[in-house]
Amino acid sequence: MSEAEAVGVRIAQIGVVVRDMRATMEEYHRVLGWGPWSVFILEGERHHHTHLRGEPRPYSMQIAVTSVEGIDYELIEPLDGPSIYKEFLAAHGEGIHHILCDSPGGVSADLNERLLAAGMAISMGGRVGANLRYQYLEAEGVLGGVVIETYSGDVEPPTYVWPEEETDGSVR
């Protein structure tokens, strides 16, 4: 890939797989002061067209996202069904799972094509709501073995925000 092709691709998010999202979210808030967290419960009709290694597979998760200096930090707790998150927990325990890359206006098909041409493969993906589509690309020996998430579409409002902010600016 030329330098010109790489321009615009940025790290938008660091994704961490955890066993207990709520406890981990509270710990980050207590220790680092991070928050508020936008929490998304992705299951049922809201989370659809899910697939794992090319096969349709239903799975669910809950995630919490907060922004830290312009980069989103995401906690992911797998719920029902098989997923690369559960595989990661079984093999490595909790920890950094992936980085999400995007470009102005959302990720273009170009980035997925480049990653696939470089030897990466789509391991898992799905859709959220009306038009958000995400996928994870991974391969040993490509980009240091880092899993890359890409997406297109619009993020829907969270299920809830934690901690809730009171009208006086305090949190509860």
Side-chain angles (χ1 to χ4, degrees):
M1 169 175 32
S2 72
E3 188 176 325
E5 290 175 311
V7 171
V9 176
R10 69 179 189 103
I11 295 174
Q13 177 191 85
I14 298 168
V16 177
V17 176
V18 300
R19 288 186 176 86
D20 184 335
M21 184 206 67
R22 178 66 182 232
T24 306
M25 177 175 57
E26 290 173 355
E27 187 173 20
Y28 272 96
H29 186 70
R30 180 181 57 79
V31 174
L32 299 176
W34 290 2
W37 295 84
S38 294
V39 177
F40 301 84
I41 300 172
L42 303 179
E43 59 189 358
E45 292 180 14
R46 184 177 194 192
H47 190 229
H48 53 94
H49 291 88
T50 54
H51 54 88
L52 178 63
R53 295 192 179 77
E55 298 293 325
R57 292 276 190 262
Y59 59 88
S60 60
M61 61 191 154
Q62 59 180 356
I63 63 174
V65 180
T66 193
S67 183
V68 181
E69 297 296 321
I71 295 179
D72 285 347
Y73 197 80
E74 176 186 49
L75 304 174
I76 306 160
E77 178 186 343
L79 299 174
D80 296 323
S83 68
I84 60 174
Y85 313 129
K86 286 184 176 180
E87 293 169 3
F88 185 88
L89 280 172
H92 307 286
E94 297 179 311
I96 295 175
H97 176 263
H98 68 270
I99 60 172
L100 183 142
C101 293
D102 76 359
S103 57
V107 163
S108 68
D110 290 0
L111 180 56
N112 280 344
E113 288 175 21
R114 283 188 275 166
L115 295 172
L116 292 168
M120 298 186 86
I122 296 173
S123 59
M124 190 172 87
R127 294 179 184 234
V128 178
N131 71 353
L132 185 123
R133 180 180 176 183
Y134 68 92
Q135 51 277 322
Y136 293 94
L137 295 100
E138 60 185 28
E140 293 297 319
V142 178
L143 299 179
V146 172
V147 174
I148 303 290
E149 180 184 9
T150 62
Y151 77 98
S152 61
D154 300 317
V155 176
E156 294 195 340
T159 307
Y160 65 94
V161 174
W162 183 91
E164 287 184 51
E165 194 170 300
E166 298 290 345
T167 55
D168 66 1
S170 64
V171 295
R172 60 176 160 130

